[in-house]
Amino acid sequence: MNGSDDDAVRLRSVSRRYGAGDGAVPALDDVSLAFPRGTFTAVMGPSGSGKSTLLQCAAGLDRPTSGSVVVGGTELTGLSERRLTLLRRERVGFVFQAFNLLPSLTAAQNVALPLRLSGRRPARGRVREALRQVGLADRARHRPTELSGGQQQRVALARALITRPEVLFADEPTGALDSRTGREVLALLRDMVDDTGQTVVMVTHDPVAASCADRVVFLVDGHVHGDLATPTATTIATHLTDLETPRP
């Protein structure tokens, strides 16, 4: 797939293998994808299809065995570990199924943490705005144990957004939530794309969650097996069933 200057993330011929020699296991095999700025993309596929590996390579959390990954015009594959860490810290946001909040810190302190780790003193107004963006302006002084699961995930979203990242990666962000709370978190992600032009790339196994995206990309055995634009839960479920049905 050809990329353009409008792409927030671009992968070209990316492969990722674990192990060496004849025992090497391919998690991704010659994957080329582009994620345009200001769009919401869901990545789906059967278990073991390479979804999380794709996310980790695209976000700079893992290095591909071969191929090219570009985030916001910066080629990742040749960066030193230090420069890669700085890029992840300043230009990429992460949200995962596990909220990964520090229990001893308040919501505001958890949100401010990425800025403190980069040596910057977070402005109180900026932290407050990030919490307001996820509907938790009145929970700034609460610790994680004083928040519901959905509220903790919202804090994790605010923490991911505090650096104003070029792209937000989400790995099963609603997997630990009940359906109603999950819908609220998905609505927040959708609003971020529509209202602020945020780029979101989300791995999910849930067709309903994926239907919130602009596009769904399907992986099977480390290969891209098509995509759907303006997807619905029904069309996604049908496509997944076709992918998982053994061929004669």
Side-chain angles (χ1 to χ4, degrees):
M1 178 181 292
N2 294 327
S4 75
D5 292 339
D6 291 330
D7 295 334
V9 184
R10 187 166 62 250
L11 291 81
R12 288 178 175 165
S13 302
V14 168
S15 295
R16 181 64 171 102
R17 295 176 177 83
Y18 296 98
D22 294 338
V25 177
L28 294 176
D29 190 1
D30 197 28
V31 170
S32 293
L33 280 171
F35 302 100
R37 298 181 191 277
T39 63
F40 189 168
T41 304
V43 180
M44 303 191 76
S47 178
S49 60
K51 301 185 297 297
S52 292
T53 301
L54 173 68
L55 202 73
Q56 290 163 8
C57 287
L61 290 170
D62 193 7
R63 290 185 183 271
T65 306
S66 61
S68 168
V69 179
V70 177
V71 174
T74 299
E75 167 66 58
L76 302 192
T77 45
L79 295 181
S80 66
E81 287 298 329
R82 178 180 176 277
R83 291 187 62 195
L84 190 59
T85 298
L86 289 174
L87 181 139
R88 289 195 304 259
R89 185 180 293 165
E90 297 174 358
R91 297 169 59 186
V92 173
F94 309 94
V95 179
F96 300 104
Q97 181 174 336
F99 314 129
N100 295 330
L101 302 178
L102 294 183
S104 61
L105 302 183
T106 65
Q109 290 167 337
N110 268 288
V111 170
L113 193 58
L115 295 178
R116 292 192 178 281
L117 289 174
S118 64
R120 289 178 282 173
R121 183 175 181 178
R124 185 176 301 175
R126 187 166 171 183
V127 174
R128 189 186 307 116
E129 173 59 22
L131 285 169
R132 186 205 61 77
Q133 189 176 359
V134 299
L136 289 179
D138 59 342
R139 295 289 191 272
R141 296 187 178 183
H142 289 66
R143 288 181 168 78
T145 54
E146 301 171 307
L147 301 171
S148 69
Q151 290 171 334
Q152 290 183 60
Q153 188 62 290
R154 287 168 180 257
V155 173
L157 270 172
R159 181 182 58 190
L161 293 169
I162 191 68
T163 59
R164 296 169 183 161
E166 295 179 34
V167 58
L168 177 67
F169 293 97
D171 195 354
E172 299 281 4
T174 61
L177 305 176
D178 62 75
S179 58
R180 183 182 65 82
T181 307
R183 287 193 299 270
E184 292 174 354
V185 170
L186 290 166
L188 272 174
L189 291 173
R190 182 71 258 177
D191 287 346
M192 290 171 189
V193 175
D194 294 339
D195 296 343
T196 68
Q198 181 67 55
T199 305
V200 176
V201 181
M202 175 182 71
V203 163
T204 183
H205 69 281
D206 181 3
V208 174
S211 68
C212 295
D214 302 305
R215 176 180 63 143
V216 181
V217 173
F218 297 94
L219 292 183
V220 177
D221 296 331
H223 296 273
V224 176
H225 272 250
D227 62 4
L228 287 174
T230 59
T232 67
T234 299
T235 58
I236 294 167
T238 300
H239 199 90
L240 285 172
T241 299
D242 290 343
L243 290 178
E244 295 173 356
T245 300
R247 301 303 180 193

